[in-house]
Amino acid sequence: MLANGCPVELASGLVHLPQVLLEPMKMVNALTPILQQAPLRHMQTRRGFKLSAAMSNCGALGWVSDRLGYRYQTYDPETGKPWPEMPVMFSKVAVELAARAGYAHFWPDVCLINCYAVGAKMALHQDADEQDFSQPIVSLSFGLPVLFLWGGLQRSDPVQKIVLDHSDALVWGGSSRLNFHGVASLRKGNHPLLGEQRINLTFRRAC
Ligand code: MD3
Ligand code: FE
């Protein structure tokens, strides 16, 4: 399922595994029935703005944002139904990637699906809605490349940039787990397999 490349530790707790998936389109294709059950949507922030990335989830829990704030919940607010199950192939890949980065006991209960059209971005933020910050977050990117921005524990800390490309993974944990991060506005392009978009999956242990 995974290529034997070398993980690159970009910083303490931040591991980049470039081109790590052998069959990235297997994962992308598995999203089709998931997104039929739980369609992509632009969630609202507490302030009433819409997030520019379209999102959905699979797994026991899903991340949601609305006028009440951010949280993880067991059902899709759009349909009232539980989130679609996380495919076993997804959890296997996430567990194996976490293990390669040094996290032996990771088992995700959330897969957040972020879909970026050209011009969509994600502002600098921290992922702090999870219960146990000793658990890492595993991220997989598909489609158009994007500039990923990662700073420090303070919003004002300097930001470093790396390109996340199709089939790349990032594993975050340890002392970087609460670092500010985001993605720059998606530049126009046409990916041979995914067209004018970027898809990101983040695997988390929410509770
Ligand atoms: C660093 N997604 O969903 S993935 C997010 O590309 C999110 O869609 C971005 O940030 C995206 O919350 C970046 C890489 C990532 C994910 C989680 C992190 C970086 C992280 C948690 C802590 C620190
Ligand atoms: Fe994040």
Side-chain angles (χ1 to χ4, degrees), residues 1-10 14-22 24 97 100 139-141 162-171:
M1 240 165 355
L2 301 183
N4 349 293
C6 253
V8 185
E9 187 158 24
L10 296 174
L14 166 55
V15 179
H16 185 205
L17 302 104
Q19 302 293 301
V20 75
L21 299 176
L22 290 174
L97 288 167
R100 284 199 188 186
S139 139
L140 291 174
S141 293
I162 55 160
V163 173
L164 289 181
D165 217 330
H166 182 65
S167 199
D168 282 6
L170 270 184
V171 181

Side-chain angles (χ1 to χ4, degrees), residues 19 26 28 37 74 95 97 119 131 134 144 167 169-170 173 185-186:
Q19 302 293 301
K26 266 200 179 172
V28 172
Q37 277 187 72
T74 55
V95 164
L97 288 167
Q131 299 280 334
S134 74
L144 289 178
S167 199
L170 270 184
S185 171
L186 189 68

Side-chain angles (χ1 to χ4, degrees), residues 112 114 116 122 125 127 137 139 148 170 172 176-177 179 181 183 198 200 202 204:
L112 172 62
N114 293 328
Y116 297 81
M122 192 175 282
H125 66 280
D127 289 16
I137 291 182
S139 139
F148 175 69
L170 270 184
W172 290 81
S176 300
R177 177 64 181 73
N179 283 25
H181 60 278
V183 300
R198 167 175 184 264
N200 178 264
T202 50
R204 299 140 190 268

Side-chain angles (χ1 to χ4, degrees), residues 120-172:
K121 61 183 188 298
M122 192 175 282
L124 278 188
H125 66 280
Q126 290 172 297
D127 289 16
D129 301 324
E130 300 78 22
Q131 299 280 334
D132 180 358
F133 299 136
S134 74
Q135 294 284 342
I137 291 182
V138 175
S139 139
L140 291 174
S141 293
F142 304 93
L144 289 178
V146 76
L147 212 48
F148 175 69
L149 314 169
W150 51 285
L153 286 172
Q154 239 61 61
R155 188 179 285 280
S156 55
D157 286 342
V159 172
Q160 302 191 61
K161 298 170 180 157
I162 55 160
V163 173
L164 289 181
D165 217 330
H166 182 65
S167 199
D168 282 6
L170 270 184
V171 181
W172 290 81

